[in-house]
Amino acid sequence: MESDLSSEAPLARAFDAEAFRALGHRAVDQLADYLAKVQSGEDMPVRSWEDPEDAVTLWEASMDEDAASGGEDLIAQVLRVAFHGHHPRNLGHQVGPVLPAAAVVDLVASLLDTGSGVYEVGNPATPMERAVLRRLAHRIGLPSTADGVLTSGGSLGNLTALLAMRQCQSDAWAEGQPAEGRLAVLVSEEAHYCVDRAAKIMGWGERGVVAVPADKDFRLRAAGLEPALAEAKAAGLVVLGVVANAGATATGTIDPLHEIADFCERHGLWLHVDAAHSGAFVFSSSARPMLSGLERADSMVIDFHKMLLSPSLTTAVLFRRGKDSYQAFAQKADYLWRVDQTEDWWDGAKRTLECTRPMLGLRAYALFRYGGERLLEASIDRVLEATRDFAALIETADDFELLVAPESNILCYRYVPIEWKSSEWDALNERIRAILVREGRFYVVRVEKRGRTYLRSAVMNPFVHRAVFEDLLDEIRRIAQMIERE
Ligand SMILES: Cc1ncc(COP(=O)(O)O)c(C=O)c1O
């Protein structure tokens, strides 16, 4: 067939190495300027509000534009409207500011884009992944049998671990649901919703997730687990394990892991720890003791994109007995590998839901090469210290209250002015947050706990300081006065 020259020219232009160089240099310059500005936080909001439907209309209108046709540069356009995660007044979700060097490595990963399903295309991401997981297992204090995988996110990581938990105790891949007894897991009522989702994806239904009440400090306790297990058994459920938190999404609370591990040992149950948030503390010598007992878990997840400065999504799923990791997806895929059930760590897809994966190993490895454990420790220690400052400020303010003393870098608090009736405080905090988010100077989230509305901040930015928290409290007071005047 004759080649179509008219289509070759734009293709050649699009893949031209020099054009890539020019675009790349310009993009890095734009991002460096952006970073300098956003980190100073001076005269820019954390986010600018756009109605979602209006935003789609705008993006549809500019979809076919390029710089040559006079359209706005795409990167500039994105930077103008995006949420600014590196902003010091971003006190919202548990998404940390990305290490700039890690973003550069992500560019490399995106261009090479070698899937790590099988080793033939998996080098270097797969061996890097193994090196990172070994280091992590060592820091946790797991035995040398430990092994695992990286997945795209904690939700997928939790599902992967729970699939392995199930397969280690019943051959669901071959047999489906057991004929007798419905499978279930005991879960802290404070668990992230993805644990509930994982159980439902496995077909366990509403009864398959037994939510166990937490104590007054939001911790899962053996005293709560014992009756929950007895009741579940009496109801005909076959309980396979327990899911504990380190730390809980809403409050950052870390469950007493030794106590829960003892309970699991007593009853022959699998212990999975969702350490997506605080598992990172293994890199800080001062914070590590909070995780005591994590090394006794059968499986655990730790997100690199929460506390470890990685771009999303990068999650470690670790198993005490590495061979258990091969149980999660005990399945054949003839076009990828020929022998089922062999423990070939180098063929990544054997142990993850993802067939093609981003170069997660490179992404995680880069954090050690460009930052190192000392940087990770410094960042963790700094945000924990900043959170203690924030909590102290709230405790000394008459018009604010804390839900619970923070154990990590997540804080729940609310404005409780005596000029307002206490019955109005929930609605007031709700409105304050809505206005804060619309105005965009600060970003905080909301949470409902024990029937009350709280503001919630994950302090993720190691450069945040006390003045930012003082400014936030003043801003909240100002908005409340504005509401009162209305
Ligand atoms: C405790 C916990 N587990 C799991 C997740 C889900 O993680 P991901 O967003 O990486 O899927 C979160 C997210 O916030 C979380 O806080």
Side-chain angles (χ1 to χ4, degrees):
M1 207 172 89
E2 271 180 43
S3 66
D4 176 358
L5 290 176
S6 62
S7 66
E8 262 180 29
L11 268 173
R13 266 201 308 278
F15 281 81
D16 179 63
E18 290 311 315
F20 171 72
R21 190 191 308 280
L23 182 66
H25 278 283
R26 208 178 68 227
V28 171
D29 282 343
Q30 283 169 296
L31 286 171
D33 291 345
Y34 165 79
L35 201 58
K37 185 170 175 208
V38 79
Q39 289 185 143
S40 82
E42 288 301 302
D43 57 353
M44 68 190 285
V46 182
R47 67 188 297 285
S48 45
W49 179 258
E50 248 173 324
D51 176 84
E53 292 298 341
D54 292 347
V56 178
T57 307
L58 281 174
W59 287 110
E60 273 177 344
S62 64
M63 203 159 167
D64 303 312
E65 277 178 9
D66 60 24
S69 65
E72 186 182 2
D73 171 78
L74 176 61
I75 294 171
Q77 213 178 340
V78 169
L79 296 179
R80 194 162 47 73
V81 298
F83 180 87
H84 305 304
H86 289 81
H87 200 298
R89 292 196 299 274
N90 167 27
L91 297 167
H93 296 288
Q94 301 150 269
V95 182
V98 169
L99 189 69
V104 175
V105 172
D106 250 26
L107 173 64
V108 177
S110 292
L111 189 78
L112 298 182
D113 204 26
T114 69
S116 44
V118 288
Y119 187 63
E120 286 163 21
V121 294
N123 196 28
T126 310
M128 284 174 162
E129 173 173 351
R130 193 159 176 81
V132 166
L133 290 169
R134 278 186 173 164
R135 176 69 61 88
L136 190 57
H138 177 66
R139 288 281 170 262
I140 294 167
L142 290 170
S144 59
T145 51
D147 194 9
V149 285
L150 294 177
T151 62
S152 294
S155 304
L156 188 51
N158 280 322
L159 173 63
T160 305
L162 295 184
L163 283 167
M165 174 189 79
R166 177 179 69 170
Q167 187 65 16
C168 285
Q169 301 179 68
S170 76
D171 189 6
W173 280 103
E175 310 290 338
Q177 293 284 4
E180 279 178 31
R182 298 176 55 149
L183 303 180
V185 69
L186 302 181
V187 169
S188 163
E189 64 175 344
E190 293 298 317
H192 188 263
Y193 71 82
C194 70
V195 175
D196 185 64
R197 252 185 209 183
K200 304 235 164 91
I201 288 169
M202 293 192 292
W204 294 4
E206 204 64 64
R207 292 172 62 208
V209 187
V210 180
V212 181
D215 71 7
K216 66 172 188 14
D217 294 323
F218 300 95
R219 292 189 178 84
L220 179 66
R221 308 303 302 253
L225 285 163
E226 293 286 359
L229 179 62
E231 267 174 50
K233 282 183 173 170
L237 295 173
V238 177
V239 176
L240 299 183
V242 174
V243 179
N245 284 315
T249 306
T251 57
T253 310
I254 298 173
D255 291 334
L257 299 176
H258 278 300
E259 184 179 309
I260 299 171
D262 288 344
F263 170 84
C264 288
E265 267 175 33
R266 255 191 328 273
H267 295 283
L269 297 174
W270 179 291
L271 172 58
H272 173 68
V273 181
D274 182 353
H277 185 85
S278 299
F281 293 179
V282 294
F283 291 110
S284 156
S285 51
S286 59
R288 173 67 182 86
M290 289 195 246
L291 294 173
S292 185
L294 180 62
E295 66 284 355
R296 294 174 62 190
D298 296 289
S299 58
M300 66 211 71
V301 302
I302 298 177
D303 279 355
F304 282 83
H305 54 278
K306 289 194 164 62
M307 299 292 293
L308 295 173
L309 311 175
S310 164
S312 302
L313 297 160
T314 320
T315 297
V317 190
L318 275 166
F319 296 84
R320 253 184 99 66
R321 298 164 298 277
K323 63 181 175 45
D324 291 349
S325 64
Y326 294 88
Q327 297 298 314
F329 303 98
Q331 188 189 23
K332 260 202 180 85
D334 286 339
Y335 75 101
L336 288 175
W337 55 79
R338 310 244 344 212
V339 189
D340 192 23
Q341 298 291 8
T342 55
E343 295 177 3
D344 302 332
W345 63 260
W346 46 87
D347 289 333
K350 281 195 160 182
R351 296 189 287 168
T352 65
L353 180 67
E354 294 155 287
C355 176
T356 308
R357 268 187 309 163
M359 298 177 79
L360 300 178
L362 169 59
R363 188 190 272 168
Y365 188 86
L367 298 169
F368 293 84
R369 278 286 277 270
Y370 286 103
E373 291 187 44
R374 283 172 64 181
L375 177 95
L376 300 177
E377 178 169 38
S379 177
I380 291 163
D381 289 351
R382 184 60 207 104
V383 294
L384 289 174
E385 188 189 325
T387 311
R388 286 192 291 271
D389 283 351
F390 190 5
L393 195 64
I394 290 175
E395 269 169 343
T396 51
D398 295 338
D399 49 352
F400 280 87
E401 70 181 18
L402 280 179
L403 171 63
V404 64
E407 200 165 25
S408 62
N409 54 324
I410 300 177
L411 206 60
C412 299
Y413 50 97
R414 59 196 221 132
Y415 186 48
V416 289
I418 45 161
E419 308 83 61
W420 291 67
K421 287 194 223 118
S422 60
S423 59
E424 294 170 333
W425 288 344
D426 286 335
L428 176 63
N429 279 275
E430 190 89 51
R431 283 211 61 202
I432 289 172
R433 187 189 106 84
I435 294 171
L436 263 181
V437 172
R438 283 248 168 190
E439 289 185 346
R441 262 197 88 233
F442 282 93
Y443 185 68
V444 304
V445 292
R446 81 176 269 290
V447 71
E448 216 172 288
K449 281 284 146 213
R450 301 201 170 128
R452 300 213 165 116
T453 301
Y454 286 84
L455 304 173
R456 172 179 170 273
S457 288
V459 179
M460 304 298 287
N461 189 327
F463 300 106
V464 75
H465 47 83
R466 195 181 163 92
V468 171
F469 305 131
E470 286 168 346
D471 189 4
L472 171 63
L473 300 194
D474 286 344
E475 190 84 337
I476 289 172
R477 293 180 181 115
R478 179 191 65 77
I479 292 174
Q481 281 168 11
M482 197 176 85
I483 296 171
E484 204 175 0
R485 282 198 300 273
E486 272 173 9

